């Protein structure tokens, strides 16, 4: 499935659509360049889960756990991980809440076989004032039956 976003608000809405359909233990892997909208998407997903605190990029802390009125959110940024050993050292329980892993392609061998991949492609803005509102293309790929169910629910709602 491919969705397009022309604004940060729309990218958050798409994240909220995923969050509204996600179940505990779902793993969503986000791929894309810096500034492509991965954290903005995660903010929308967290909002749908009832996360009340700000969702910001966990680049320097690597992982943040957010509780909410619904399922919890585990937000991981694997960009700074140098090895699978560092991932293992985080000891993240992927069964408890909804898990969003930015730069998950860096640790793909450590991920569960069944996960939803969302690849973000962003067109460059024509000028600095439009940088937040450039077009984003989100390509969704399911890797197993559980993520296929989530993707089917998203397609049915689109």
């Amino acid at each position: 499935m491919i969705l397009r976003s022309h604004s940060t608000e729309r990218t958050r809405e798409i994240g909220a659509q995923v969050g509204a359909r996600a179940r505990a233990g779902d793993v969503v892997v986000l791929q894309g360049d810096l500034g492509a909208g991965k954290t903005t998407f995660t903010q929308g997903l967290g909002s749908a889960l009832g996360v009340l605190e700000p969702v910001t990029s966990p680049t320097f802390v690597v992982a943040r756990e957010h509780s909410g009125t619904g399922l919890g959110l585990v937000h991981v940024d694997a960009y700074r991980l140098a090895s699978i050993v560092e991932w293992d050292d985080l000891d993240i329980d992927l069964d408890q809440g909804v898990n969003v892993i930015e730069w998950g392609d860096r640790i793909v061998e450590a991920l569960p076989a069944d996960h939803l991949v969302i690849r973000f492609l962003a067109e460059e803005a024509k000028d600095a004032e439009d940088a937040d509102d450039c077009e984003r293309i989100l390509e969704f790929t399911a890797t197993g039956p559980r993520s296929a169910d989530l993707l089917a629910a998203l397609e049915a709602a689109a």
Side-chain angles (χ1 to χ4, degrees):
M1 176 173 79
I2 295 176
L3 295 176
R4 295 179 182 276
S5 171
H6 296 282
S7 68
T8 54
E9 291 80 18
R10 176 66 181 137
T11 302
R12 282 189 191 98
E13 287 172 8
I14 295 169
Q17 291 172 8
V18 173
R21 291 159 181 81
R23 299 174 292 168
D26 282 347
V27 175
V28 180
V29 176
L30 307 181
Q31 300 174 347
D33 292 335
L34 293 171
K38 298 180 298 292
T39 299
T40 300
F41 170 91
T42 306
Q43 291 168 345
L45 190 147
S47 177
L49 297 177
V51 171
L52 301 176
E53 70 240 24
V55 174
T56 59
S57 177
T59 299
F60 296 103
V61 295
V62 182
R64 284 197 174 101
E65 292 186 34
H66 300 277
S67 58
T69 58
L71 296 172
L73 169 65
V74 177
H75 186 195
V76 178
D77 187 327
Y79 185 79
R80 298 173 70 80
L81 296 179
S83 69
I84 296 303
V85 172
E86 288 184 5
W87 167 257
D88 290 340
D89 287 346
L90 292 174
D91 196 30
I92 294 174
D93 183 356
L94 297 176
D95 295 326
Q96 296 303 308
V98 178
N99 306 278
V100 174
I101 303 173
E102 296 187 30
W103 303 96
D105 49 324
R106 294 174 156 271
I107 56 164
V108 72
E109 60 272 15
L111 296 174
D114 194 334
H115 57 273
L116 182 67
V117 176
I118 306 173
R119 194 173 101 171
F120 289 71
L121 304 166
E123 289 186 358
E124 289 189 28
K126 294 174 184 60
D127 59 53
E129 290 180 17
D130 294 333
D132 287 339
D133 292 327
C134 65
E135 181 176 44
R136 289 170 173 80
I137 300 167
L138 287 70
E139 297 178 347
F140 292 70
T141 306
T143 64
R146 182 182 179 114
S147 57
D149 288 346
L150 177 55
L151 185 53
L154 291 167
E155 288 174 329

